[in-house]
Amino acid sequence: MKYLKRIALVLISLPLVLTGIFIFYEVFGMCANHLATQRQTRQLVAVLETEVPDIEFIDIHSETGNTSGTGNHVDCLSSVIFSTGMRQSDLEDELFQHYAYDEWSCFLKQTEDGCYRFYLNTSAPFADNIEGH
């Protein structure tokens, strides 16, 4: 009779324990993804400060989540708007030594007011996290 009670207790508590582990994993993944986005943005700002001598930052934006709206995945998005006296071709030569330019997830674009926007979108470490659904 003791064994039956123990088995029943295990069978009743097992779904609760597994649900708790799943929730912990998802929350841990969300935190790791946000930290990865912050690290990516900090690194991007550091590269810009190193490669562009007269840089003036206008806006620094980062976002974690499903940024494209297609599929169930999590992205790390970093977008920096800055001004400088350098030409776009010189900026591209300097910046794309550090990043792979592909016109979709990593590009440099001149805005209407003469500033530049550097856009970087990479996959998050926990790309299949609930945050991307």
Side-chain angles (χ1 to χ4, degrees):
M1 194 62 142
K2 273 185 164 180
Y3 293 115
L4 290 177
K5 286 182 182 179
R6 287 182 185 169
I7 291 172
L9 181 63
V10 167
L11 289 177
I12 291 171
S13 63
L14 189 60
L16 297 173
V17 170
L18 292 176
T19 302
I21 290 171
F22 176 74
I23 290 171
F24 174 77
Y25 176 77
E26 290 294 327
V27 170
F28 176 79
M30 287 172 61
C31 293
N33 289 342
H34 283 271
L35 289 173
T37 302
Q38 291 173 2
R39 183 180 67 237
Q40 173 180 289
T41 303
R42 279 194 312 269
Q43 288 174 346
L44 175 58
V45 168
V47 166
L48 287 169
E49 287 176 334
T50 303
E51 299 296 337
V52 184
D54 63 339
I55 192 166
E56 277 188 46
F57 292 105
I58 305 212
D59 185 35
I60 300 171
H61 175 76
S62 62
E63 183 179 333
T64 305
N66 188 341
T67 58
S68 66
T70 58
N72 296 331
H73 64 282
V74 181
D75 298 317
C76 298
L77 168 67
S78 301
S79 177
V80 178
I81 298 175
F82 62 95
S83 64
T84 181
M86 293 178 71
R87 295 187 334 230
Q88 185 167 350
S89 60
D90 295 335
L91 283 170
E92 289 173 352
D93 291 343
E94 294 296 326
L95 297 177
F96 296 128
Q97 294 174 16
H98 303 277
Y99 298 101
Y101 176 76
D102 66 1
E103 293 186 19
W104 174 253
S105 62
C106 180
F107 59 85
L108 178 71
K109 185 182 259 187
Q110 191 164 16
T111 62
E112 293 174 3
D113 57 356
C115 297
Y116 294 96
R117 176 179 180 221
F118 192 92
Y119 178 92
L120 179 62
N121 191 351
T122 61
S123 181
F126 289 84
D128 193 28
N129 189 269
I130 195 166
E131 197 170 24
H133 297 274

